[in-house]
């Protein structure tokens, strides 16, 4: 287990490769200078459907936006969280409530109690890690000749 995040490498790989392809990205807007925008592009290239969740509920990348997780009218597999740590626990609780399979707190998003609640509810959880960095590492490990 990674001492900094509480995430096993197997958990990271499972979320990225087999948990599902519908990702709600909380904090995603059309602001191209924000980390969420760049990570959403990487997720799309990796084959994920990226659903923006932001108070403005604006469409991003051709996908309709929603003001909250509860507003999404279809199943979400993974909730990727780009909000301040003090708001992240509420988002994790909402992810549990909508039946998501996993929650991913991005770099700098840390809430140990939310991590423990989410894991206790049976969801996979990653905290304080960048999805785009982990996708790049996974792709390098799976590239021909990388073993």
């Amino acid at each position: 287990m990674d001492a900094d995040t509480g995430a096993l490498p197997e958990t990271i790989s499972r979320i990225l490769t087999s948990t599902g392809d519908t990702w709600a990205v909380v904090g995603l807007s059309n602001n191209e200078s924000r980390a969420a925008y760049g990570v959403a592009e990487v997720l799309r290239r990796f084959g994920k459907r990226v659903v923006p969740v932001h108070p403005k509920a604006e469409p991003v990348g051709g996908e309709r936006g929603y003001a909250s997780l509860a507003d999404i009218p279809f199943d979400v597999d993974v909730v990727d969280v780009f909000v301040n740590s003090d708001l992240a626990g509420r988002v994790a609780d909402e992810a549990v409530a909508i039946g998501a399979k996993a929650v991913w707190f991005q770099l700098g998003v840390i809430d140990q109690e939310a991590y423990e609640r989410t894991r206790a509810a049976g969801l996979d959880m990653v905290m304080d890690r960048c999805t785009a960095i982990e996708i790049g590492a996974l792709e390098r490990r799976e590239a021909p000749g990388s073993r």
Side-chain angles (χ1 to χ4, degrees):
M1 183 178 310
D2 185 316
D4 295 338
T5 64
L8 292 167
E10 299 83 31
T11 301
I12 291 170
S13 179
R14 181 174 51 251
I15 291 171
L16 292 174
T17 62
S18 61
T19 297
D21 291 332
T22 302
W23 286 52
V25 179
V26 179
L28 176 58
S29 70
N30 279 310
N31 184 342
E32 295 181 20
S33 68
R34 304 289 297 181
Y37 191 91
V39 168
E41 291 299 309
V42 171
L43 285 167
R44 280 191 202 91
R45 285 195 302 271
F46 195 62
K48 305 302 181 186
R49 177 184 184 187
V50 176
V51 180
V53 179
H54 189 279
K56 293 180 183 177
E58 61 190 9
V60 180
E63 186 76 40
R64 178 181 171 191
Y66 297 89
S68 72
L69 291 173
D71 292 340
I72 300 173
F74 47 83
D75 291 341
V76 169
D77 299 309
V78 181
V79 175
D80 196 356
V81 182
F82 283 89
V83 299
N84 293 329
S85 295
D86 58 340
L87 302 174
R90 181 179 56 79
V91 175
D93 295 341
E94 291 173 6
V96 171
I98 67 163
K101 299 172 190 164
V103 175
W104 191 299
F105 282 5
Q106 284 293 323
L107 280 175
V109 181
I110 301 168
D111 183 332
Q112 191 62 41
E113 291 177 4
Y115 177 89
E116 291 167 9
R117 283 194 313 272
T118 303
R119 292 293 300 131
L123 281 69
D124 277 334
M125 175 86 181
V126 174
M127 183 168 63
D128 194 25
R129 299 291 281 263
C130 176
T131 315
I133 291 171
E134 297 301 332
I135 287 171
L138 181 68
E139 289 176 329
R140 285 189 297 280
R141 284 192 302 272
E142 293 181 353
S146 65
R147 295 181 195 259

